Amino acid sequence: MAYLEVNKVTVLYKGNKIGIKEASFEANEGDIIGFIGADGTGKSSLMHAIAGVVKFEGEIIFDKYAYHSPKEAEKIKKHMGFMPQGLGLILYNTLTVEEHLNFFASIRNLIMDKNFKAYKQKLLHMAGLSRFTEREAGHLSGGMKQKLSLICALIHKPKLLLLDEPTTGVDPLSRLELWEILDSIRKEEGTIVIVSTAYMQEASKMDKLLLFEDNGIIARGSSKELINTVRGNTYEKTPCESEDCLELYDTTYSLKPLKSKHKEPTLEGLFFVSALKNRKKLPEISVSQRKEPLDIPPIVMEAKQLTKKFGSFVANDRIDIKLKRNEILGLFGANGAGKTTFIKMLLGLYPIDSGELTLLSQPIRSGRDRQKLKSKIGYVSQHFALYKNMSVRENLIYFANIHQIPTHETLKRIERYAEELGFSDYLDAMPKDLPLGINQRFSIAAAIIHEPVVLFLDEPTSGVDVIARYQLWQLLRLLKEKWGISILITTHYMSEAEYCDRVVLLKDGKKVADDTVENFYKKHPNANNFEEIFLEYYKEAN
Amino acid sequence: MNIGVIKAYTLKEFKELMRTRMIFTVYALPLTILVLFGYGIRMEVTHSRILIIDNDQSKLSGELVEKFKHSKYFNTTEANISESKALKLIKQAKKDAIIIIPTSFEKRLIKAQKIDIAIFIDGSFPNRAHTIENYIESVIINYLQNYAQRYPTFSTNIIAINPRSLFNQAMRDEDAIVPGLIGLALFVSPAILTALLIVKEKEKGTIFNFYASSINKEDFLIAKLIPPFLLHSVSVLILFLIAVYLFRVPFRGSFALYWFSSELYVLVSLSVGLLVSIVTRSQIVALVLTVIITILPGFLYSGIILPISSMSRESYIEAHMFPVMYYNHIAYDTFLIGQGLSSKKIVLYLIILMGFACVLLNLGWFLLKKELKK
Amino acid sequence: MIKAFLSIVAKELLDFLRSWGLVVVVLYSFTVDVYIAGSGMQIEPKNVSVGYVDYTGGGISQKILFHLHEPEFVAPKRFLSQKQLSEAIFNKEIMVGIVFDQDFEKNYRKHKKATIDVLLDATAASQSFITLSYLQNIVLNFSKLNIPIDIDIHKLFNPNSDERYFMALVELLSVVTMLSILLPAVVFVREKEEGTWDIMLLMPVDPKIVILAKSLSQIIIIMAGVVITVGLVLFGTFNIPMNGPFFAFLLLTFFYAFTSAGIGLFIASVSEGMMQTAQLSMLIMMPLIFLSGAWTPVYAMHPILEKLSLLSPLRYYIEGCESIFFRGTSFIDLWQYFAGVLVLGSVLYWYGFRKIGKLF
C-alpha cells in the first residue's frame, strides 16, 4: 500500500462547477510528484482537497489513515505543509522574516532548541534570506516572499508537502536553492512533495508527473516517459499545411507525419500536442497595422544614474538604461535586485531620489510632466490589479472608457484581444474565479487596450502556463513589429531572454550587464542556455 | 488547548497591532468617547435662547424679565419687535422660545385681573421643547408666588417640591452620564477592534495557515481574543480613572465588581465583533455592519438619554437584545449606589452578561469553518 | 473626461450592487433601523414606578397622587416608613419616592409653604429629570393662585410633541452620516490595499476626477437610501410633516454627503489599512453624531466643545433638516447651513487632492 493514496477525488464549486473530477494517484515516501497542466485544469482544487481545506468527494489515504472531508483531515494536518498559490499569500506584512519562522514553528508545536535553530539557519541560508531576517514581509520582493512562504511551510519537516506553484516569480538562482531544499528534505524525512509548476525545467526534475487537462488527470509518468509520448510529433520548424499541425518559434508539432526531420522533444511539447489532440485550435495571434504610423522618438526612455533608496537600503544604484524605439528590452535579475523598483520609478509610483529620466523626449521632473504621457504608456504590475467584482469584459470596457476610446472601437478591440489572447470563454467570468494565468492574460489586454507606444511589464508571465506564455510573447513581438512600440519587460523564465532584443542584468541594485542576447552567448561560449549565463553572473562575484 | 499555539498567535496579533500603529487608536477611541461626551452631553438644557417681548415696560414686568435673565437655563434677550418678526426668528432657528408679556401686565396683576402670557416654543426638538416649556412655566409661577407672598391679600396655597436625588445629591450631570458612557465606550471600541481580525485573514489568504494546520478552532478564537482583551483591560482601568479623577464621579461600590463586570462586558463586546468577522467575507461588509450595530444601539440603548423602561415595542425588545443596558445598570450601581451583589438584579444581569459571552462565543465557534467557503 | 467620469461612477455602483452583503446592511440601516428608532423611542416618562409615604393621613396628598396615572406612571405604591421607601429605591423596585410629612396638609391649609420631599434615583438620570418636571407641573396646579394667569403655550411645528418625528429623522441623519463617511473611506482604502490605486494613477485622467467620481458614486447610493427612507419610513409610516421645500432637503443632503465623503477621503488618505480606517472612522464619527446638537443643544455644551462643533458638518445638516422638515424655513434662510457644509467640504477635498492621487 502506498503512503499516499488519492482515490477518485472530485471537488465541486458553487453552481456545480467542477474543480477536479475523479482524480486518483499514489505516492510513496520521498516521492516528488509534479502537477503540470494549463491554467484552470484542476491542479489547485486537488491540492486543496488533499490539504483538507475544501470539501470533496472520494477518499484520500495518508499513512493508512483515510479521510473524506476537511474535518477528518484534521488528524493528519500536523504532518502536512501547504503553500497556496499566490504571492506571499500566507505571510503577515508586518512580521519580520525571523518572526515568521518562529510563528510557524510555534503553531506547529516545535520545540525551539538548538537543532531547530540550526535547521532554521539552514533554511534561511538556502532561501537566501539570511541577510533579511529583520525585514518585514511587506517590504520583501515578490520572489523573496515566495521563498519565505516555502520555508515557512517546511519548518516543521512535514511528511506531506503541498506546494501550489511555489516558484512563480522566483529567480533561477533561488529556484535552484529551493530544489536543493526540497531534495534534501525528502531524502532526510521521506517527505512526499507535491508541486505544481509552470517551469518545465523544474518539472523534469520530478519523479512523477501528472498532466492535468479538462479538470482531470490525462497522463502520468516520469518526465522521460511523458516526453517520449510526443517524440513522434515533434519536428524541426516546418511550415504547416494541415489542421493537425502547429508551427512555433523553432519547432513544429504535428499529429500527421511530416517529411521534415524529428527534433528532440521537450515537456513543453506535451502541452502543444495535447492541445492539438483536443482540437483546441490555438488562436491565431495577429495584430493589425496601425492606421496612422506613430511618431515615436528614437530613444523612448532614457534613465541616467537613477537612484532609489529605502532608508539605508539602496534599491537602485545609479542605473543607466536606454530603451530604443521598436525594441524589446528584458530586465533580468534575482529577486530583490531592484527590477520592480526601477519600473515604479519610471512610472512615477516611487519618487526618484537622484538621476535624470527622459520619457518620450520629455524630461521628467515632477508628476505634472507625466500627465501628457499617460495615454502613451501601458503597464502591467506584478500583483495584477483588476477589479474583483466586475467580469473580465466589464473590466476591459472600464479601462477603455477611462482611456476615452469610443465604445464601438472598444467592443471591437475586446473581441479581438479575447480571441488573440485566448480568453474568449472567460469574458463573462469574474476574475476571482479564474486561475492566475488567465487573469494575467487579461490584465495585459487591459494594458494595451489604449494602444500605447511603450509598455512596461513587470513579470507578466509569472504563473502563466506554457501555451499562454508562448502566445503572449508572440503578441509582444507582433506588437513590436506592427506598431513599432517598445517594451520593457521583467521575467524569471530565462528561456524568454531569447525573445528579447536586448537584456539588462541587475544585481543588488546595480546594472552588471547590458547587451544583445547574441553577444551574451558570444561572451559565454560554454553556456547551453540563458539560465547558465545568468547564473554565471551571479556566481562570479560571490 | 494548546498553549504554544495560542501564545504564538497572540504574539503575532500584538506585533501586528503595534506595528500598524493601531495601538494609538485602540485607546484613542474610548478616551474620546468618555472625555468628549462627558463634557458634551447634558441632561439639563441650559442657555436656551429665549426672546422676551415686554409690551408693558412696567416695573413688575421688568422684574419678571429679570427673573429670566438670572436663570442659568436661559440666555435671555429682550426686544421690542412685532410678533410676526419674532416668529420668524424661531423659523430661522435663531431663538428657541418667545415670551410675550401683554401691555397691561402690571395694571392687571395689581387688580388681580386675568393676564394672558403668550409663549411660542420651537417644537422641532420635542424633548427640548418640553423641557423649555417646564422651565418657563416654573419661572413664571415662581415669580407670581413670590409676588403673592408680598401681598397677603392674595391667599395662596403653595406647594413646593424639594427634590432629593439619591446617589447624586448635587444632581451633577457628570455623575449621571459618565458611568453610562463607559458602557458605550467599552461596547464600541472592542467590537470594532475584533470585527476585522478574522475576515482580514480571509481576504489576504493568511487564513490558510489556520485551515491547513492542526490548530483547534477554540485555540484560534482564544488567540484572536487575547490581545484585544488585554488591551481593553487597560481601557477598563483608564476609563475608571478618568471618571473618578477627571469627572469626579463618586465611586461607592466595590472595585472588584466594577472590574469583573467590565472585563466580562469587554469579552461580550469582543465576541460581537468576532462573530461579525466570522460571518462576513469582506472587510468592508464587516466594518459597515459593526458600525451600524454598535454605534447607534450602543448609545440609544445605554439608558443615558433615553430611559429603557419608557421605550415601547420594537425598541424595548431591541434594547434587551444588546448587552449595553445590562452592563450600564451594574456600572451605575458600582459608581453611584454601591449595592453590589446584594441586589438580585445585579446578580441576574451579571448572569445575563455571561450568557451573552457564552452564546456569542459558541455561535462563533460553530460558524467558524476550517475550510474554504465555496 | 465625462466618459471616464461616468465609467468610474458606473463601475463603483456595479461593485456595490454585486457585494450583496453590503447592499443588505445598507438597506437595513435605511429602513428597519430608522423604523425601530422612530417607533419605540420615547423621552417622555412611561411606566414610572412611584412609591410614597404619607404621614398626613390623606386628603390633599391623595388628590395629588391621584394625578399620577397611566401611561406615565404605574399606580403609586404605599410604604409605611421613609426607610422602607429608600430601600425600595435601592432595590430598584421604584424609581421615585414621594414623602408627605406631617406638616404638609397643615401648612397647605394655612397658606403656608407646604413641602413635598421627592426622592429620585439618579442612576436613572433621564427618568428622574423628566419625572421631576412632571411632578412639578402637577403640584403647580394645586398651588392655587388667586391670580388668574393664563400661560398660553404654543408649540410650533410639532404641536403634539411627537417624538417619533424627531427620533426617526435624527436616526436617518445619523445613518446618512455613518454611511457617507464609511462607504467612500473603504472604497479608497480598498484600492490602496489591493494596489489598484497605482493603476488609477497611471490612467490619463486627472486624479481629482477619479476622486470626485468615486465620491459621487457612493453619494448616489446614499441618496437612493435617503429617498427610500423618506418615502417608506418618514412619510409612509410616521407621516412626518414637510413644511419646507423638499428639493432643499435633497440638495442639502447631497452637499452634506459630499462633505462627509470628504471626511471619508481624509480617513483613507491618512490610514494604511482597513483596520486603521475602522478605528479612525469610529473616532471621527461618534463625536460628530452625538455632539451635533441633536441630543444636547450645542449652546448647552462646554464652551470649547461649542466652538469645536463649528467644525462638524452634521451640526449644519441637522439644524438645516429640522428647519426644512418642521420649521418650514424658506430656502433663502437656509444659506448658512449650505455655506457651513460647503466650506467644510471644500477644505476636506482640497486636502484629499493634495494627499492622495499624485505621481512623482
Side-chain angles (χ1 to χ4, degrees):
Chain A
M1 200 162 135
Y3 203 61
L4 173 74
E5 269 184 57
V6 175
N7 290 329
K8 295 199 169 169
V9 167
T10 299
V11 175
L12 291 177
Y13 288 101
K14 206 165 54 186
N16 276 341
K17 224 184 86 202
I18 297 171
I20 182 83
K21 201 164 175 240
E22 302 204 340
S24 306
F25 73 93
E26 290 178 355
N28 288 310
E29 281 177 290
D31 278 354
I32 295 188
I33 309 281
F35 284 11
I36 55 173
D39 301 314
T41 49
K43 303 189 296 282
S44 294
S45 297
L46 187 55
M47 289 247 184
H48 284 166
I50 300 172
V53 296
V54 73
K55 277 203 186 72
F56 61 91
E57 289 159 29
E59 186 183 53
I60 300 170
I61 305 170
F62 176 74
D63 194 11
K64 297 181 196 102
Y65 174 80
Y67 57 96
H68 311 85
S69 67
K71 206 162 196 165
E72 290 176 358
E74 274 307 283
K75 273 200 181 148
I76 57 133
K77 281 185 181 170
K78 57 176 176 287
H79 303 300
M80 203 149 51
F82 175 50
M83 177 180 161
Q85 194 184 61
L87 269 186
L89 216 57
I90 57 166
L91 304 180
Y92 304 93
N93 280 341
T94 51
L95 292 198
T96 65
V97 170
E98 173 97 32
E99 284 164 347
H100 267 98
L101 289 173
N102 292 341
F103 170 71
F104 278 84
S106 303
I107 64 170
R108 297 295 188 173
N109 294 312
L110 299 188
I111 303 152
M112 313 243 187
D113 55 7
K114 236 196 322 192
N115 288 339
F116 167 77
K117 278 181 188 139
Y119 184 58
K120 187 167 81 177
Q121 287 313 320
K122 188 174 142 199
L123 287 179
L124 279 171
H125 180 74
M126 284 199 280
L129 289 169
S130 305
R131 282 193 298 142
F132 303 105
T133 49
E134 293 308 312
R135 196 182 284 191
E136 290 179 13
H139 298 148
L140 293 176
S141 74
M144 285 156 104
K145 282 183 184 167
Q146 285 298 83
K147 286 188 276 186
L148 178 58
S149 305
L150 180 76
I151 59 173
C152 283
L154 280 176
I155 192 90
H156 60 297
K157 301 185 180 173
K159 292 296 224 179
L160 175 59
L161 190 56
L162 300 158
L163 307 171
D164 201 352
E165 305 210 356
T167 49
T168 295
V170 177
D171 64 66
L173 200 62
S174 309
R175 277 205 305 269
L176 281 181
E177 288 162 351
L178 265 173
W179 279 97
E180 278 165 26
I181 302 177
L182 289 183
D183 207 43
S184 73
I185 189 174
R186 69 133 156 197
K187 276 183 193 137
E188 285 164 28
E189 313 291 331
T191 303
I192 297 178
V193 186
I194 299 177
V195 195
S196 66
T197 184
Y199 293 89
M200 288 307 127
Q201 298 101 308
E202 259 172 39
S204 59
K205 292 178 192 163
M206 304 188 205
D207 302 318
K208 192 154 90 177
L209 291 174
L210 305 179
L211 179 63
F212 284 67
E213 198 167 304
D214 287 335
N215 308 93
I217 300 170
I218 57 156
R220 59 192 76 207
S222 70
S223 107
K224 261 197 195 124
E225 284 163 0
L226 285 179
I227 288 173
N228 277 335
T229 60
V230 294
R231 190 167 290 278
N233 308 101
T234 314
Y235 298 91
E236 293 284 352
K237 186 174 166 108
T238 338
C240 275
E241 277 151 17
S242 69
E243 278 205 349
D244 297 333
C245 172
L246 194 63
E247 186 192 339
L248 298 185
Y249 190 56
D250 54 359
T251 318
T252 296
Y253 296 98
S254 172
L255 296 183
K256 287 182 192 149
L258 295 180
K259 280 172 197 152
S260 52
K261 266 210 302 201
H262 277 292
K263 200 184 166 190
E264 187 57 33
T266 58
L267 265 179
E268 278 92 346
L270 212 59
F271 288 83
F272 294 109
V273 172
S274 119
L276 278 177
K277 279 183 184 156
N278 285 307
R279 303 243 159 218
K280 271 191 199 147
K281 226 182 116 201
L282 290 189
E284 196 63 34
I285 290 193
S286 59
V287 170
S288 37
Q289 206 80 37
R290 277 208 181 170
K291 280 174 204 126
E292 309 132 41
L294 287 163
D295 178 28
I296 308 174
I299 304 292
V300 173
M301 181 276 294
E302 185 169 13
K304 273 190 202 153
Q305 301 286 302
L306 275 198
T307 302
K308 176 77 209 158
K309 288 177 193 160
F310 295 105
S312 59
F313 175 73
V314 185
N316 278 173
D317 191 4
R318 287 164 288 151
I319 291 183
D320 295 306
I321 293 181
K322 267 186 206 169
L323 178 62
K324 295 178 200 126
R325 175 168 60 199
N326 201 10
E327 179 183 51
I328 298 182
L329 176 63
L331 195 55
F332 285 61
N335 300 126
K339 305 183 296 293
T340 302
T341 308
F342 183 70
I343 289 187
K344 286 199 165 172
M345 266 202 295
L346 295 186
L347 290 166
L349 295 172
Y350 286 155
I352 296 168
D353 286 344
S354 66
E356 280 171 41
L357 175 66
T358 312
L359 271 178
L360 296 163
S361 319
Q362 161 90 49
I364 305 291
R365 286 185 202 93
S366 75
R368 211 162 291 153
D369 298 329
R370 297 178 184 273
Q371 201 59 32
K372 275 187 298 186
L373 303 176
K374 278 179 173 178
S375 60
K376 294 180 179 165
I377 295 174
Y379 168 59
V380 172
S381 90
Q382 206 170 7
H383 313 265
F384 15 75
L386 293 160
Y387 298 99
K388 286 178 187 160
N389 275 332
M390 294 204 296
S391 69
V392 174
R393 190 193 301 275
E394 286 159 352
N395 259 295
L396 292 176
I397 293 177
Y398 173 69
F399 281 112
N401 281 349
I402 300 284
H403 282 288
Q404 327 267 341
I405 300 165
T407 312
H408 61 96
E409 179 64 30
T410 304
L411 297 176
K412 243 182 9 207
R413 283 187 201 175
I414 291 175
E415 238 19 81
R416 201 176 75 219
Y417 290 140
E419 209 163 293
E420 287 172 1
L421 289 169
F423 55 72
S424 302
D425 297 347
Y426 304 106
L427 262 184
D428 293 305
M430 291 293 172
K432 65 172 186 307
D433 297 333
L434 297 177
L436 210 67
I438 290 158
N439 260 320
Q440 193 63 309
R441 264 183 257 177
F442 91 81
S443 55
I444 288 167
I448 59 171
I449 198 139
H450 60 295
E451 304 191 332
V453 172
V454 54
L455 262 181
F456 295 119
L457 307 172
D458 198 0
E459 293 190 30
T461 49
S462 281
V464 178
D465 69 46
V466 172
I467 294 178
R469 225 158 55 216
Y470 171 75
Q471 284 170 319
L472 176 83
W473 274 105
Q474 229 180 334
L475 174 78
L476 294 181
R477 293 195 67 86
L478 281 170
L479 284 175
K480 182 194 117 173
E481 278 167 30
K482 304 268 177 171
W483 293 1
I485 67 171
S486 313
I487 298 167
L488 179 71
I489 185 168
T490 70
T491 176
H492 287 302
Y493 295 90
M494 292 302 132
S495 55
E496 290 175 359
E498 325 277 339
Y499 300 117
C500 299
D501 297 318
R502 197 155 55 90
V503 167
V504 168
L505 221 60
L506 292 186
K507 186 182 169 191
D508 297 332
K510 292 191 183 73
K511 185 169 100 171
V512 290
D514 181 350
D515 219 330
T516 61
V517 180
E518 284 160 36
N519 285 341
F520 268 108
Y521 276 108
K522 275 182 201 155
K523 275 185 214 159
H524 301 267
N526 298 327
N528 291 316
N529 53 36
F530 201 78
E531 184 151 345
E532 290 176 18
I533 298 176
F534 178 88
L535 292 176
E536 252 172 69
Y537 274 97
Y538 266 79
K539 279 172 191 158
E540 264 170 25
N542 285 349
Chain B
M1 280 267 267
N2 186 322
I3 303 298
V5 171
I6 295 176
K7 202 177 124 198
Y9 254 104
T10 307
L11 268 174
K12 184 216 87 184
E13 298 286 337
F14 258 123
K15 280 177 193 152
E16 282 192 303
L17 286 173
M18 294 290 186
R19 294 199 182 141
T20 47
R21 282 178 286 145
M22 286 286 296
I23 201 81
F24 163 71
T25 35
V26 164
Y27 290 114
L29 185 55
L31 278 176
T32 311
I33 293 176
L34 197 63
V35 174
L36 277 189
F37 292 15
Y39 283 118
I41 294 179
R42 284 289 167 267
M43 290 289 142
E44 294 179 308
V45 183
T46 55
H47 304 102
S48 297
R49 302 158 302 169
I50 59 167
L51 176 76
I52 302 180
I53 303 175
D54 182 359
N55 290 326
D56 198 30
Q57 297 291 346
S58 59
K59 185 172 160 263
L60 289 182
S61 69
E63 275 175 25
L64 179 59
V65 174
E66 278 308 300
K67 275 250 173 204
F68 277 103
K69 283 191 175 162
H70 284 124
S71 164
K72 68 164 173 172
Y73 295 111
F74 302 110
N75 203 339
T76 315
T77 41
E78 215 188 325
N80 217 343
I81 50 171
S82 69
E83 189 179 316
S84 63
K85 230 180 189 171
L87 286 178
K88 204 170 172 220
L89 286 175
I90 292 194
K91 223 171 192 184
Q92 291 170 338
K94 285 180 180 149
K95 293 290 166 203
D96 297 308
I98 290 162
I99 301 170
I100 301 176
I101 301 176
T103 39
S104 47
F105 178 79
E106 189 176 66
K107 218 181 339 172
R108 297 181 81 95
L109 187 60
I110 293 168
K111 289 184 184 163
Q113 282 171 335
K114 190 167 177 280
I115 305 168
D116 276 313
I117 296 181
I119 294 166
F120 297 91
I121 302 173
D122 179 358
S124 7
F125 295 87
N127 184 37
R128 199 177 298 171
H130 194 79
T131 320
I132 294 175
E133 177 189 344
N134 282 332
Y135 289 158
I136 292 179
E137 269 188 330
S138 51
V139 169
I140 295 176
I141 304 269
N142 197 277
Y143 167 77
L144 292 174
Q145 281 181 349
N146 287 347
Y147 174 77
Q149 274 173 333
R150 277 189 273 164
Y151 301 91
T153 41
F154 301 101
S155 73
T156 46
N157 309 31
I158 298 166
I159 302 173
I161 285 191
N162 175 25
R164 275 200 294 138
S165 189
L166 293 173
F167 327 123
N168 184 2
Q169 252 77 0
M171 296 284 258
R172 293 179 68 226
D173 270 353
E174 288 86 348
D175 295 7
I177 292 165
V178 169
L181 288 177
I182 296 180
L184 175 62
L186 289 182
F187 182 52
V188 172
S189 351
I192 198 71
L193 186 56
T194 43
L196 300 181
L197 280 185
I198 293 177
V199 69
K200 182 184 68 183
E201 295 216 20
K202 279 193 248 180
E203 256 187 18
K204 167 102 204 301
T206 44
I207 194 78
F208 274 112
N209 297 335
F210 164 58
Y211 287 163
S213 63
S214 52
I215 302 167
N216 285 333
K217 287 206 281 184
E218 48 273 26
D219 287 355
F220 183 68
L221 287 181
I222 291 171
K224 285 278 169 191
L225 281 173
I226 288 178
F229 184 76
L230 291 180
L231 289 176
H232 278 298
S233 296
V234 180
S235 303
V236 168
L237 192 70
I238 296 178
L239 294 181
F240 172 81
L241 292 175
I242 293 179
V244 172
Y245 291 102
L246 184 64
F247 289 109
R248 308 241 160 240
V249 180
F251 190 80
R252 304 198 175 99
S254 87
F255 183 76
L257 178 64
Y258 166 79
W259 182 79
F260 176 74
S261 58
S262 301
E263 294 284 359
L264 182 62
Y265 179 62
V266 165
L267 186 64
V268 173
S269 313
L270 292 173
S271 317
V272 171
L274 212 55
L275 192 60
V276 168
S277 207
I278 288 168
V279 297
T280 50
R281 281 199 218 182
S282 82
Q283 296 196 73
I284 296 174
V285 179
L287 172 57
V288 178
L289 186 63
T290 314
V291 165
I292 296 292
I293 64 170
T294 56
I295 292 194
L296 290 174
F299 183 72
L300 295 180
Y301 302 133
S302 63
I304 304 174
I305 292 265
L306 305 165
I308 286 150
S309 58
S310 50
M311 288 180 185
S312 66
R313 298 190 318 247
E314 292 90 340
S315 306
Y316 186 77
I317 297 165
E318 206 175 290
H320 283 76
M321 283 163 48
F322 283 87
V324 195
M325 66 165 261
Y326 305 103
Y327 172 74
N328 272 6
H329 181 89
I330 302 171
Y332 276 115
D333 179 83
T334 51
F335 274 97
L336 302 178
I337 309 176
Q339 281 195 100
L341 296 175
S342 63
S343 153
K344 274 185 203 140
K345 207 165 179 182
I346 286 179
V347 176
L348 174 69
Y349 279 7
L350 271 179
I351 293 170
I352 290 177
L353 283 180
M354 286 179 207
F356 263 108
C358 281
V359 170
L360 288 170
L361 287 174
N362 275 305
L363 197 60
W365 181 85
F366 176 74
L367 291 173
L368 180 66
K369 294 272 181 271
K370 263 190 93 170
E371 61 192 69
L372 280 175
K373 276 218 181 106
K374 291 175 186 173
Chain C
M1 268 308 143
I2 295 293
K3 190 169 182 179
F5 185 83
L6 292 179
S7 297
I8 299 171
V9 173
K11 182 228 141 199
E12 294 299 336
L13 287 178
L14 198 65
D15 210 1
F16 172 76
L17 291 174
R18 293 236 168 103
S19 25
W20 60 267
L22 197 56
V23 175
V24 170
V25 174
V26 168
L27 268 181
Y28 167 85
S29 329
F30 274 115
T31 52
V32 184
D33 199 56
V34 176
Y35 172 75
I36 290 181
S39 67
M41 297 285 181
Q42 272 168 335
I43 308 180
E44 304 284 289
K46 209 179 145 204
N47 300 329
V48 175
S49 47
V50 184
Y52 69 95
V53 188
D54 191 350
Y55 295 115
T56 62
I60 303 295
S61 56
Q62 288 303 317
K63 276 190 194 158
I64 291 176
L65 290 173
F66 184 71
H67 281 265
L68 301 174
H69 52 67
E70 284 178 347
E72 291 87 1
F73 298 95
V74 180
K77 205 170 157 189
R78 188 184 174 123
F79 291 88
L80 292 175
S81 70
Q82 202 167 333
K83 198 172 161 244
Q84 279 183 349
L85 189 72
S86 307
E87 256 168 35
I89 295 179
F90 262 92
N91 291 327
K92 302 259 166 183
E93 285 166 41
I94 56 169
M95 211 174 279
V96 181
I98 303 175
V99 181
F100 300 99
D101 58 28
Q102 280 162 337
D103 300 332
F104 175 72
E105 179 117 4
K106 211 162 55 192
N107 284 343
Y108 182 77
R109 301 247 177 249
K110 283 185 184 166
H111 303 310
K112 277 192 188 165
K113 195 173 180 178
T115 313
I116 306 175
D117 285 330
V118 176
L119 304 175
L120 294 162
D121 177 359
T123 58
S126 46
Q127 286 105 319
S128 298
F129 275 108
I130 297 162
T131 311
L132 189 63
S133 73
Y134 234 83
L135 273 172
Q136 228 137 18
N137 266 359
I138 292 170
V139 165
L140 278 174
N141 289 327
F142 278 83
S143 308
K144 281 196 200 117
L145 281 169
N146 290 347
I147 304 162
I149 191 128
D150 187 5
I151 302 177
D152 188 11
I153 291 185
H154 308 268
K155 274 199 198 143
L156 303 169
F157 322 127
N158 186 0
N160 303 323
S161 285
D162 195 330
E163 291 270 341
R164 300 179 314 170
Y165 292 179
F166 169 74
M167 283 304 303
L169 187 63
V170 167
E171 183 84 359
L172 169 63
L173 304 189
S174 307
V175 167
V176 169
T177 306
M178 291 193 294
L179 292 180
S180 53
I181 290 176
L182 269 186
L183 293 181
V186 291
V187 163
F188 289 116
V189 170
R190 190 182 46 187
E191 296 241 347
K192 257 170 113 179
E193 265 197 347
E194 289 174 3
T196 43
W197 188 244
D198 281 358
I199 300 291
M200 275 325 297
L201 285 181
L202 296 172
M203 292 289 160
V205 184
D206 191 335
K208 292 190 187 79
I209 299 286
V210 181
I211 291 173
L212 287 176
K214 281 183 187 289
S215 306
L216 180 69
S217 66
Q218 304 308 304
I219 288 157
I220 290 173
I221 296 167
I222 309 283
M223 292 303 284
V226 168
V227 170
I228 290 174
T229 318
V230 172
L232 236 60
V233 185
L234 296 196
F235 292 161
T237 316
F238 297 133
N239 291 314
I240 290 187
M242 172 55 99
N243 299 326
F246 188 66
F247 81 93
F249 167 68
L250 286 184
L251 199 63
L252 186 59
T253 305
F254 181 80
F255 287 140
Y256 174 68
F258 236 113
T259 299
S260 306
I263 299 178
L265 182 66
F266 168 80
I267 292 170
S269 59
V270 296
S271 54
E272 276 156 27
M274 210 55 103
M275 286 282 264
Q276 246 177 6
T277 309
Q279 298 278 331
L280 271 179
S281 43
M282 280 285 192
L283 201 60
I284 293 176
M285 276 191 297
M286 293 197 58
L288 274 191
I289 292 175
F290 298 119
L291 300 180
S292 60
W295 304 103
T296 301
V298 174
Y299 47 74
M301 290 177 190
H302 196 280
I304 296 173
L305 287 178
E306 196 187 333
K307 293 277 167 333
L308 273 180
S309 76
L310 287 172
L311 294 176
S312 154
L314 189 56
R315 174 185 170 164
Y316 307 104
Y317 184 51
I318 282 198
E319 272 296 325
C321 286
E322 291 277 335
S323 289
I324 295 167
F325 271 90
F326 303 121
R327 298 188 188 111
T329 315
S330 60
F331 189 65
I332 299 294
D333 286 330
L334 295 168
W335 71 269
Q336 44 181 332
Y337 309 123
F338 280 92
V341 166
L342 286 173
V343 166
L344 288 171
S346 314
V347 172
L348 286 164
Y349 277 92
W350 172 79
Y351 180 81
F353 288 157
R354 280 178 55 108
K355 182 90 187 183
I356 60 177
K358 264 170 108 182
L359 284 180
F360 297 104

